[in-house]
Amino acid sequence: MRTALVDGDVQDSGRRAARLAALYATALILTHATVDAGAGAKPALVQFFRAHLGLSYTVLGVIVTASALGGAIAQVLFGLLADAHRRPWTAAAGGALAAFGLSLTGFVTSAVTAAVALGLVALGSAAFHPEALRTMHRLGGERRATAMSYFTVGGSVGWALGPALVGAIAGTFGLAAMRWWVVGALPVPVALWLASVRVLPQAATRPAADAAAGADRWGDYRTLFAVVLLRAAAHQSLTVFYPAYLIDVAGTSRTVASLSLSLLLVSGIVAGPVIGRLADRWSRRGVLVATVILFALLTLVLPALRGPVMYAVLFLVGGASMGAVPITLVMSQEYLPRRTGLGGGLVLAASGTASLVATPFGALADAAGLAAVIYACAAVAGLAAVIALRLPGDAPAARARLAGELTG
């Protein structure tokens, strides 16, 4: 009788911890949306900077590149900090800093102040992601890929809505109206901070020592990092040059090109959770390889497609590419169990800096045409799939260890 009561108390405690973990994860996902809204809004903001300040494209390019590289470096540093010092409030602080940075764009008066504003957005993103990834990794338990897929959905929603919201605010009321952004965005990271104080300590019931999860496997991580970098390079280049291909080569309207870009960006919101569940149920490596192969093969046929079939294939292309992101995040943390903040942070930094390949791909477009760029994107994605085949399979012992972490 007494044993049954004890078992019941343990089960009730476990269910309560699970509910609290879900509540905190929801706060992380919502904050992720507000943080990535700032990152997604950069292309729209630089156009307003150019009109408002009369900046040249060269200056705008320097500002955007500097903020991207600075944010990538800061993300690595914050990843090291997240692993060395367990301070969950840094995720909330990063969300608040990103909100203040985006609000500061309403006060820009020069290229310097524009760079400072975008730099704060990048710094806030860098502070948020490593700690948020580390925490989501722990809260996800044996369903980490599923949990991470929902986390990335928050970022995808923010990334997709950011340009539209900034365009609506600045386009309707002027760039100065962006100073009010903080009023709507700041409550979200504040709620995350309150949850980190009151909810997280009760939700995080699993062992605190990441060292118990095993040794870091840097060799496997480097292989995965190459896959991440190549997939991101192919995806980023496709989002830049495929709409241009539709307009300049296929002769479609700008409306069709804009719709195609939206499909590439939005499809990951739908596909991410589905692919995450498959990765948890079957094999992380197997699902990753399958999605990247699908991305490569479908990209290869894009130049030949028109009409409804093109839209359907574009949706699958975006879903396959973006659906690989949560899997690579989880795998990076499992390969570096002692440095989960750094592991995830480096993967996101690689995804961000991959946009730098737009320059050589642009040179290829000038030399060989836009269709050649699309085929090159498919080739880069294919190379990523080949390298992914070198990753180790999901060992039964690793699966057992993940399940054991839930019970402590």
Side-chain angles (χ1 to χ4, degrees), residues 73-104:
I73 294 170
Q75 193 148 269
V76 173
L77 296 176
F78 276 109
L80 292 169
L81 181 65
D83 292 326
H85 304 283
R86 312 298 186 183
R87 296 192 176 107
W89 58 265
T90 57
L97 187 60
F100 278 115
L102 204 55
S103 189
L104 188 61

Side-chain angles (χ1 to χ4, degrees), residues 91-359:
L97 187 60
F100 278 115
L102 204 55
S103 189
L104 188 61
T105 61
F107 295 92
V108 297
T109 57
S110 65
V112 173
T113 53
V116 170
L118 293 186
L120 286 178
V121 173
L123 187 61
S125 177
F128 169 78
H129 281 100
E131 181 60 40
L133 289 168
R134 187 189 70 81
T135 305
M136 187 64 75
H137 172 82
R138 295 176 65 80
L139 295 179
E142 60 183 351
R143 295 183 178 88
R144 285 172 178 160
T146 301
M148 199 64 73
S149 68
Y150 284 110
F151 178 76
T152 57
V153 161
S156 297
V157 169
W159 195 277
L161 291 180
L165 291 174
V166 167
I169 295 171
T172 304
F173 304 104
L175 185 61
M178 282 301 299
R179 65 188 63 182
W180 299 106
W181 178 275
V182 71
V183 176
L186 188 59
V188 180
V190 168
L192 178 63
W193 173 73
L194 292 174
S196 71
V197 174
R198 300 184 179 183
V199 175
L200 187 59
Q202 302 176 65
T205 57
R206 292 188 296 139
D210 286 335
D216 293 334
R217 293 183 285 164
W218 282 103
D220 293 337
Y221 185 86
R222 285 190 291 269
T223 303
L224 178 67
F225 192 82
V227 174
V228 169
L229 200 58
L230 291 169
R231 184 216 61 84
H235 179 86
Q236 295 277 7
S237 298
L238 195 64
T239 61
V240 172
F241 293 104
Y242 186 67
Y245 171 84
L246 290 177
I247 296 170
D248 296 340
V249 179
T252 62
S253 67
R254 295 185 181 276
T255 301
V256 171
S258 297
L259 179 58
S260 71
L261 181 58
S262 296
L263 282 172
L264 280 171
L265 296 175
V266 173
S267 55
I269 299 174
V270 178
V274 176
I275 294 176
R277 287 177 179 272
L278 292 176
D280 279 332
R281 177 168 294 186
W282 293 333
S283 161
R284 309 238 203 279
R285 173 185 175 273
V287 174
L288 174 63
V289 171
T291 55
V292 180
I293 288 176
L294 185 63
F295 174 37
L297 292 177
L298 293 179
T299 299
L300 189 63
V301 302
L302 274 180
L305 302 179
R306 301 289 186 273
V309 175
M310 177 191 73
Y311 293 130
V313 172
L314 271 176
F315 188 86
L316 293 175
V317 167
S321 177
M322 296 302 295
V325 174
I327 304 176
T328 55
L329 283 170
V330 172
M331 292 175 72
S332 71
Q333 293 172 320
E334 291 175 349
Y335 290 158
L336 300 183
R338 298 170 184 264
R339 297 175 175 84
T340 54
L342 177 64
L346 281 172
V347 164
L348 288 180
S351 298
T353 55
S355 59
L356 297 177
V357 302
T359 299

